[in-house]
Amino acid sequence: MQNRTPWIPQQPAPNRAEFDARLTVELAVVVTGARRRALRDGDRQIDTAHLLHSLIESDPEVRSAFEGGPQLAKVLGYLVQRSIGYGLRWQGSVEDSGAVPVVRDPDSAVRDAGVEGWSPSAASAMTEAHERAALRGDVRAGGLDLLAALAMDRECRAVEVLERAGVDAEQLAARIVGTSGQGRRGAGG
């Protein structure tokens, strides 16, 4: 008798106790959705495109950060193509934009984000989201914090999706951050 249950690769559960306590309820839903999407897609790690997809699907504030319905529809179109194995081909590869140094500080928020099971770029974006929240005095990061962090990493998969859909990631980040794009991470920094 054959087992008809599809094989789903094992993905280690991140250390979630401290990490989840630092997320808004909305962002916790995003992370859960990204984790589920990564497993369903057969990816070994949550990457920035998984986070972007889940953010757009579940956070109205994030959707309102875009320049309207047509732009948002194009971004979702690329993300859906990717999730069904058509279009952008990343499956089976680890996303690493270089935003996280190879030697990680063991006390960093990246560890709390559970580096295992997360791409380095996704873990870095979560750390950046927490830092953004802390700068404004919040203990919990929200969806716009994460969207800004994703949009500022020029080398991550989320930005590749945004740019293919015609979204200027730098302008998106600047709108969210309220600056002219200063403090960008990614290539060269």
Side-chain angles (χ1 to χ4, degrees):
M1 179 174 256
Q2 291 184 359
N3 183 356
R4 297 201 184 269
T5 305
W7 178 78
I8 299 176
Q10 293 293 321
Q11 182 178 31
N15 175 2
R16 292 167 49 178
E18 289 179 45
F19 176 69
D20 287 350
R22 295 170 43 197
L23 301 175
T24 60
V25 172
E26 296 82 7
L27 196 51
V29 168
V30 167
V31 169
T32 300
R35 184 176 294 118
R36 189 173 33 250
R37 185 171 302 289
L39 284 171
R40 187 177 57 231
D41 291 351
D43 294 330
R44 294 176 292 169
Q45 297 179 325
I46 295 171
D47 67 23
T48 59
H50 294 124
L51 290 171
L52 178 63
H53 200 157
S54 192
L55 266 173
I56 291 172
E57 285 183 333
S58 63
D59 192 326
E61 265 191 318
V62 165
R63 289 190 298 271
S64 69
F66 288 87
E67 293 178 345
Q71 186 181 62
L72 197 53
K74 284 178 98 173
V75 172
L76 276 171
Y78 276 103
L79 289 165
V80 167
Q81 286 179 6
R82 185 267 175 125
S83 71
I84 61 174
Y86 180 77
L88 301 173
R89 302 266 183 218
W90 297 314
Q91 193 169 13
S93 65
V94 175
E95 173 189 37
D96 185 4
S97 69
V100 177
V102 174
V103 178
R104 291 177 180 82
D105 175 3
D107 295 324
S108 74
V110 174
R111 183 210 65 226
D112 294 338
V115 170
E116 194 169 353
W118 289 69
S119 75
S121 297
S124 178
M126 292 303 292
T127 298
E128 176 95 9
H130 285 108
E131 289 170 1
R132 285 181 41 74
L135 283 174
R136 67 169 187 278
D138 286 343
V139 293
R140 290 185 170 88
L144 286 177
D145 295 317
L146 182 55
L147 180 61
L150 293 171
M152 285 191 267
D153 185 350
R154 294 177 292 189
E155 301 298 319
C156 76
R157 291 176 179 173
V159 167
E160 184 178 344
V161 168
L162 292 171
E163 289 178 351
R164 285 185 181 224
V167 176
D168 184 322
E170 189 169 353
Q171 285 182 357
L172 176 64
R175 274 197 309 273
I176 296 166
V177 174
T179 68
S180 59
Q182 296 173 351
R184 290 181 55 85
R185 293 188 332 241

